[in-house]
């Protein structure tokens, strides 16, 4: 009997593969970084071939390291960086350009033109999203408009578009498909009908022939070719990374929320089987759909912060303040506060609830007494402040109080940050034993899809608390800090506006 589920966790800066056992515990892991490409200010690209090769390499590596064969694996689940856009030749399987990453801001002017044309409400009503360069639709339009001969080839049906899940499935299986969670991040998918939408495609001048088939998130959707792992294996779980992390956190009931601290910061609240339209600049998105009940879709409210762990990478790589990312906690803890320094990390604009593509990174309040420890502390605190803004907007939309926030991702292991997050939220922050919840969610979806696990109740029983951070900050101090934070945010906004 197969003893493991293999999760492929394709992230923004690295590809990982993790084997999970029947108790939902990580058995072994392999990880490989790949290059980040910044051809122009505000542009972020990936080599899609490098993504594929790194993901295949770590999948094979984790099997070798664990001495596990394909016969020991029940299914494969895939979680992926969302919105990152790949366009490739259907016959050769070669990308026609670098992938445009979710962080890329080159299509901000396209979004502005669509809003000026009065289409913002149409897109929000049908997709649950705001018109922002974050999402895939305008990235695909840019490729069709700027790569020579691409639009004509697309019209002839020679090209295929996909987010990273689609790209990996195409390379593994030769199939062209995506799941509802990833489709809901494209600006092209109607989250009410669960179909690609012709009116939206027309608004963005995108041929329908480019689009993948849309499937549920759990259930066998394809089989990988035997050449990759020695035998065919079913791919039975698909989800965008943040939806996968929400599933891995067992947030199965309406009102349950999680926050992932990765390259960016992503907070999702389960709202049940009906979408809630946000009136506070949040996103309404599909969480997942399981084949065991294809009529039922779990919807989410989501807030996205563009810069979280990436701030620590910047302090390490560009400023040289630390040698390793893990050093940030000790440096920030060496001072009791930020000494009046405020850091708004709007390097690629601001996400929810501001949606300002022209905001830029801002350091305020520095004096001759400012040290690198103060900057490090302000950087960590900025992650918590941004997340607090998301939760405030989320509670207004959902009209439910936050009882506790489940956290995961690399930075959730930073105790200083997690305590400050609890303080500035005024609510407990709970870190589980297994913080690799993105990969875990992909594994759970795949395992459910092949009967490796029976149901959501069994999975929920695996979730265990590692540590609960209780708020200590007074209401008055919390209010004062948030007020100053919002002043700092206003200083950063509109800095790179083309009208200036």
């Amino acid at each position: 009997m197969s003893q493991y589920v293999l999760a492929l966790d394709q992230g923004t800066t690295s590809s990982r593969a993790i084997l999970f056992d029947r108790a939902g515990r990580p058995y072994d892991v392999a990880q490989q970084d790949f290059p980040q490409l910044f051809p122009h200010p505000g542009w972020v690209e990936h080599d899609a071939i490098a993504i594929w090769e790194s993901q295949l390499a770590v999948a094979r590596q984790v099997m070798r390291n664990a001495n596990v064969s394909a016969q020991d694996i029940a299914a494969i689940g895939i979680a992926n960086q969302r919105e990152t856009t790949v366009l490739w030749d259907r016959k050769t399987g070669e990308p026609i350009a670098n992938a445009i990453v979710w962080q890329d801001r080159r299509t901000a002017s396209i979004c502005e033109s669509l809003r000026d044309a009065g289409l913002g409400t149409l897109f929000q009503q049908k997709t649950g999203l705001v018109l922002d360069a974050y999402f895939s639709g305008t990235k695909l339009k840019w490729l069709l408009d700027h790569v020579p001969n691409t639009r004509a080839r697309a019209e002839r049906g020679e090209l295929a578009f996909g987010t990273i899940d689609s790209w990996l499935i195409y390379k593994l299986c030769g199939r062209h498909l995506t799941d509802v969670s990833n489709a809901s991040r494209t600006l092209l998918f109607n989250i009410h009908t669960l179909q690609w939408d012709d009116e939206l495609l027309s608004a963005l001048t995108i041929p329908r022939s480019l689009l993948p088939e849309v499937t549920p998130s759990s259930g066998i959707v394809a089989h990988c070719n035997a050449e990759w792992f020695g035998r065919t294996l079913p791919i039975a779980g698909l989800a965008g990374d943040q939806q996968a992390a929400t599933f891995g956190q067992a947030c199965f009931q309406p009102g349950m929320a999680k926050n992932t601290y990765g390259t960016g910061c992503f907070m999702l609240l389960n709202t049940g089987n009906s979408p809630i339209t946000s009136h506070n600049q949040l996103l309404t998105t599909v969480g997942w759909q399981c084949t065991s009940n294809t009529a039922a879709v779990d919807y989410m409210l989501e807030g996205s912060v563009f810069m979280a762990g990436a701030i620590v990478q910047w302090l390490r790589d560009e400023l040289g303040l630390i040698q390793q990312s893990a050093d940030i906690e000790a440096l920030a803890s060496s001072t009791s506060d930020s000494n009046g320094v405020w850091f708004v990390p709007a390097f690629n604009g601001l996400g929810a609830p501001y949606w300002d593509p022209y905001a830029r990174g801002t350091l305020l309040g520095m004096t001759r007494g400012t040290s690198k420890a103060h900057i490090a502390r302000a950087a960590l605190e900025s992650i918590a402040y941004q997340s607090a803004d998301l939760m405030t907007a989320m509670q207004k939309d959902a009209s439910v109080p936050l009882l506790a926030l489940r956290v995961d991702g690399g930075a959730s292991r930073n105790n200083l940050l997690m305590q400050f997050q609890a303080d500035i939220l005024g609510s407990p922050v709970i870190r589980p034993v297994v913080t690799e919840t993105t990969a875990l969610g992909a594994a759970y979806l795949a395992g459910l899809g092949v009967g490796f696990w029976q149901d959501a109740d069994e999975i929920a029983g695996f979730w265990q608390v590692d540590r609960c951070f209780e708020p200590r900050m007074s209401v008055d101090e919390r209010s004062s800090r948030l007020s100053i934070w919002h002043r700092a945010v206003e200083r950063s906004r509109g800095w790179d506006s083309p009208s200036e």
Side-chain angles (χ1 to χ4, degrees):
M1 181 181 292
S2 300
Q3 295 299 311
Y4 306 100
V5 173
L6 174 61
L8 307 183
D9 181 5
Q10 204 300 298
T12 306
T13 60
S14 69
S15 296
R16 299 189 306 156
I18 303 180
L19 287 166
F20 289 94
D21 66 17
R22 288 188 175 273
R25 296 172 301 208
Y27 183 71
D28 211 334
V29 60
Q31 180 170 337
Q32 183 176 313
D33 292 343
F34 58 87
Q36 307 294 299
L37 309 173
F38 308 100
H40 299 287
W43 291 27
V44 189
E45 296 180 351
H46 288 159
D47 178 347
I49 294 295
I51 287 177
W52 156 242
E53 291 177 345
S54 63
Q55 190 65 74
L56 179 62
V58 293
R60 288 171 163 172
Q61 181 186 342
V62 76
M63 292 170 66
R64 286 195 306 270
N65 292 352
N67 195 27
V68 166
S69 71
Q71 284 75 14
D72 300 314
I73 296 174
I76 294 175
I78 297 175
N80 57 283
Q81 53 165 316
R82 304 173 303 173
E83 297 94 18
T84 295
T85 300
V86 187
L87 191 59
W88 68 90
D89 186 298
R90 288 184 182 274
K91 289 185 177 179
T92 67
E94 292 297 312
I96 61 95
N98 282 334
I100 302 181
V101 180
W102 60 270
Q103 297 164 310
D104 189 285
R105 308 307 294 167
R106 77 185 69 180
T107 65
S109 60
I110 296 175
C111 296
E112 195 168 342
S113 296
L114 291 168
R115 286 193 298 270
D116 290 344
L119 294 175
T121 300
L122 173 72
F123 276 91
Q124 185 187 29
Q125 288 176 344
K126 290 195 171 191
T127 71
L129 309 177
V130 299
L131 276 171
D132 188 80
Y134 180 21
F135 305 107
S136 310
T138 58
K139 296 175 175 22
L140 176 56
K141 175 178 171 55
W142 190 95
L143 288 169
L144 293 174
D145 290 343
H146 290 83
V147 178
N149 200 35
T150 297
R151 183 169 290 281
R153 295 187 65 200
E155 296 284 358
R156 294 194 297 267
E158 298 174 6
L159 303 180
F161 150 76
T163 43
I164 296 299
D165 60 312
S166 297
W167 169 241
L168 293 178
I169 290 169
Y170 181 83
K171 299 301 284 185
L172 286 167
C173 314
R175 297 281 307 279
H176 187 208
L177 53 87
T178 189
D179 88 298
V180 290
S181 72
N182 280 293
S184 75
R185 311 296 295 188
T186 60
L187 284 173
L188 309 174
F189 187 73
N190 189 315
I191 63 171
H192 307 282
T193 65
L194 302 181
Q195 301 287 331
W196 299 118
D197 191 283
D198 287 329
E199 190 174 11
L200 302 178
L201 290 170
S202 176
L204 289 168
T205 61
I206 291 172
R208 178 180 273 271
S209 61
L210 285 170
L211 305 179
E213 173 190 353
V214 181
T215 73
S217 311
S218 178
I220 297 174
V221 298
H223 286 81
C224 68
N225 297 331
E227 63 181 294
W228 306 125
F229 305 114
R231 68 182 284 256
T232 62
L233 287 171
I235 295 178
L238 291 177
D241 51 10
Q242 301 314 315
Q243 290 96 325
T246 310
F247 203 86
Q249 284 274 35
C251 291
F252 301 142
Q253 302 301 319
M256 299 182 73
K258 72 89 197 177
N259 200 21
T260 295
Y261 299 79
T263 303
C265 223
F266 302 89
M267 187 178 292
L268 276 76
L269 173 72
N270 189 323
T271 62
N273 300 139
S274 299
I276 292 178
T277 299
S278 175
H279 300 287
N280 292 279
Q281 295 289 90
L282 297 178
L283 309 177
T284 305
T285 197
V286 174
W288 50 76
Q289 181 186 36
C290 296
T291 50
S292 59
N293 185 2
T294 53
V297 173
D298 282 70
Y299 289 93
M300 308 281 145
L301 278 174
E302 177 178 333
S304 307
V305 168
F306 295 152
M307 294 287 290
I311 304 167
V312 179
Q313 293 175 331
W314 178 73
L315 294 177
R316 179 194 67 195
D317 299 338
E318 307 305 327
L319 298 191
L321 296 190
I322 51 176
Q323 294 296 312
Q324 303 177 60
S325 294
D327 298 339
I328 188 72
E329 183 171 5
L331 178 59
S333 297
S334 67
T335 180
S336 60
D337 57 43
S338 66
N339 195 29
V341 176
W342 293 81
F343 184 12
V344 183
F347 293 91
N348 296 304
L350 288 169
Y354 303 101
W355 297 110
D356 184 350
Y358 305 116
R360 287 297 176 264
T362 306
L363 267 171
L364 296 164
M366 291 184 292
T367 68
R368 284 292 300 272
T370 298
S371 69
K372 63 181 182 179
H374 296 135
I375 294 173
R377 183 130 190 161
L380 282 185
E381 290 180 354
S382 76
I383 299 172
Y385 284 125
Q386 292 177 98
S387 296
D389 284 343
L390 298 182
M391 183 51 70
T392 298
M394 203 164 276
Q395 290 180 268
K396 289 178 181 177
D397 278 333
S399 300
V400 294
L402 175 66
L403 299 178
L405 181 67
R406 295 185 174 188
V407 297
D408 54 68
S412 70
R413 294 188 286 270
N414 186 312
N415 292 331
L416 176 65
L417 173 58
M418 292 300 99
Q419 182 58 56
F420 189 78
Q421 185 71 85
D423 288 340
I424 211 65
L425 285 176
S427 299
V429 167
I430 304 175
R431 182 173 64 204
V433 171
V434 177
T435 58
E436 302 293 353
T437 55
T438 299
L440 181 58
Y444 281 159
L445 287 164
L448 286 173
V450 297
F452 190 79
W453 293 294
Q454 294 306 306
D455 52 36
D457 288 340
E458 181 183 4
I459 287 172
F462 297 148
W463 192 86
Q464 293 179 295
V465 175
D466 169 59
R467 181 168 172 181
C468 181
F469 298 85
E470 296 285 350
R472 304 171 186 163
M473 189 178 289
S474 70
V475 173
D476 287 345
E477 182 180 356
R478 184 181 308 122
S479 177
S480 174
R481 283 176 171 269
L482 286 170
S483 177
I484 299 171
W485 161 252
H486 293 139
R487 284 175 55 206
V489 169
E490 287 306 309
R491 300 295 196 278
S492 76
R493 299 195 63 184
W495 182 259
D496 198 32
S497 175
S499 63
E500 295 297 328

